[in-house]
Amino acid sequence: EIVMTQSPATLSVSPGERATLSCRASQSVSSNLAWYQQKPGQAPRLLIYGASTRATGIPARFSGSGSGTEFILTISSLQSEDFAVYYCQQYNNWPRTFGQGTKVEIK
Amino acid sequence: EVQLLESGGGFVQPGGSLRLSCAASGLTFSADAMSWVRQAPGKGLEWVSTISGSSGSIYYADSVKGRFTISRDNSKNTLFLQMNSLRADDTAVYYCAKLEGATMARNWFDPWGQGTLVTVSS
């Protein structure tokens, strides 16, 4: 099983600032990585797939990068609606596995 | 617009059974692979099971293999999860999700339903 490790667990950011979230895979997943956003009481929402392709309707301030074992999700200028928990997920191997999440909170 | 609506959650005692349903609309259901993903209270996301559009390919997490059965009725646009021998650590919100991607080998979850809560307790 591929273990996905996200850091940091919590990120405190002021509105308008940049947020950088990391995700590391225990073995290469090529570019088969997705990022999801989850707000309290809501279902997760797809942000990024293929490590760097934004899903339909996702604002350009969200960007993904990386391949192999190291991945980054960047939110260029945090808006109030971006404070949430973010999960990475690999779909290179079965079983599909998620990181434990990074909570982005208001500083 | 794709809509997924889960139902069937509830309270069950350890060792009991429950059957979850996910009604899908706005998609060509028989062409799409579908999954169940769960989230224990206050915890992260855990993939549970995936089924191809034809039901020819099925995958399970080790934690549920032998106890849970995924199935689908393409004539009714409905996905199911039969859960037997339930344990306290199966307590979670269960989400159904459509899979996107060119092949069964490489696909991601989009969109997700709103989830249904399963509570296993004595």
Side-chain angles (χ1 to χ4, degrees), chain B residues 75-91:
Chain B
S75 69
K76 296 182 179 178
N77 284 12
T78 304
L79 175 72
F80 302 102
L81 186 67
Q82 177 67 44
M83 304 186 296
N84 299 331
S85 303
L86 282 161
R87 311 185 303 222
D89 62 359
D90 294 317
T91 294

Side-chain angles (χ1 to χ4, degrees), chain A residues 36-100:
Chain A
Y36 303 87
Q37 176 193 66
Q38 187 178 33
K39 298 179 182 180
Q42 295 186 16
R45 177 177 72 146
L46 176 71
L47 296 176
I48 301 282
Y49 62 92
S52 61
T53 303
R54 275 190 304 277
T56 302
I58 301 303
R61 63 181 182 272
F62 291 91
S63 63
S65 64
S67 66
T69 62
E70 302 283 343
F71 301 89
I72 298 288
L73 175 69
T74 302
I75 311 171
S76 60
S77 176
L78 271 158
Q79 307 298 302
S80 57
E81 61 267 30
D82 300 335
F83 292 96
V85 179
Y86 293 83
Y87 294 95
C88 62
Q89 178 243 329
Q90 66 82 19
Y91 53 91
N92 195 68
N93 287 37
W94 299 97
R96 303 313 198 208
T97 48
F98 292 86
Q100 80 279 18

Side-chain angles (χ1 to χ4, degrees), chain B:
Chain B
E1 179 191 6
V2 175
Q3 293 195 335
L4 303 172
L5 183 62
E6 302 93 336
S7 61
F11 187 94
V12 61
Q13 292 188 331
S17 298
L18 215 53
R19 189 195 198 201
L20 305 183
S21 299
C22 172
S25 61
L27 73 169
T28 307
F29 186 71
S30 61
D32 290 310
M34 300 290 294
S35 284
W36 291 97
V37 179
R38 68 184 180 182
Q39 186 171 36
K43 302 297 184 182
L45 300 168
E46 180 188 17
W47 168 77
V48 172
S49 183
T50 292
I51 185 170
S52 65
S54 66
S55 302
S57 295
I58 289 176
Y59 304 86
Y60 294 102
D62 285 346
S63 58
V64 306
K65 199 173 295 183
R67 300 187 300 121
F68 290 11
T69 302
I70 192 171
S71 63
R72 61 193 297 158
D73 184 339
N74 287 345
S75 69
K76 296 182 179 178
N77 284 12
T78 304
L79 175 72
F80 302 102
L81 186 67
Q82 177 67 44
M83 304 186 296
N84 299 331
S85 303
L86 282 161
R87 311 185 303 222
D89 62 359
D90 294 317
T91 294
V93 173
Y94 285 74
Y95 296 101
C96 71
K98 175 178 166 296
L99 285 163
E100 278 290 342
T103 70
M104 273 297 291
R106 303 286 185 268
N107 44 31
W108 52 91
F109 307 110
D110 182 48
W112 301 55
Q114 282 304 300
T116 187
L117 176 63
V118 173
T119 303
V120 185
S121 176
S122 55

